[in-house]
Amino acid sequence: MNITKQNFEDKILFYGRRRGRKLSTSAKLAISTGQKYIIKKDNFLNIFHEHKNIILEIGFGDGENLVNSAKNNSNFFYIGADPFVNTTAKCLSKLLKFNLKNVVIWPDDIRKILYLFPQNSISEIKILFPDPWPKKKHINRRLIQNDFLEKIHSIIKHKGTLTIATDHDLLKKWILEKFQRYTEFEWIVESSKDWRFRPHDCFQTKYEIKSIIQLRKPCWFTFKKK
Ligand SMILES: C[S@@+](CC[C@H](N)C(=O)[O-])C[C@H]1O[C@@H](n2cnc3c(N)ncnc32)[C@H](O)[C@@H]1O
């Protein structure tokens, strides 16, 4: 599948929320002072010339995993994407607070820039608690779709990994079925410990805490590119 700007980005419709409550003064300040973290399409490719170990987080939410990962692994470079303005402001204020130098963010739908990533350029991808879109009529809104997997597969390095967390039973089933059919990835699993517990390189996020409080069972599925 030859994915170009024309046939991929232009057809994208984002169904999630872009904005929540009115932004506080500190959130507005984080957005204006945090502009240095925002990806500019024009020099996006420089990232791949300058860094060899790149981790992409799709849907970083409040940024707990993205910021803690970047703080603790200065030898990795992180790209985060999330279109929700309110949480992007929270993430930016954390990046500014710790003055992190190994992160950039795309404050929009990741699918709008996937065509810009060079093939085999990303070491790991994390998608933690993506929106489940549980209603049958909204199934097409789920992020994990065949064409998305195909694109993700092309940008991950050989033997690179993709970790997806979810606490939603329908989405667990949906993910496992998708990967059973898309055999270019191998599910890294030997025992239930491999999916019942958060991997050592992921940090606890707001949605993991929510799932524990609401007595749901979060799962982390890690797939390796063959
Ligand atoms: C349920 S929240 C989870 C947030 C965070 N990962 C956590 O675990 O707390 C899902 C997040 O994914 C983001 N999201 C949804 N579709 C996306 C897309 N196409 N590209 C990037 N982010 C997306 C949403 O804006 C939202 O912040």
Side-chain angles (χ1 to χ4, degrees), residues 14 58-59 61 81-84 109-110 128-129 131 143 205-207:
F14 180 71
I58 300 173
D82 200 307
F84 193 48
D109 189 324
I110 185 62
L128 305 180
F129 302 92
D131 300 306
L143 185 62
T205 64
K206 178 169 145 188
Y207 275 78

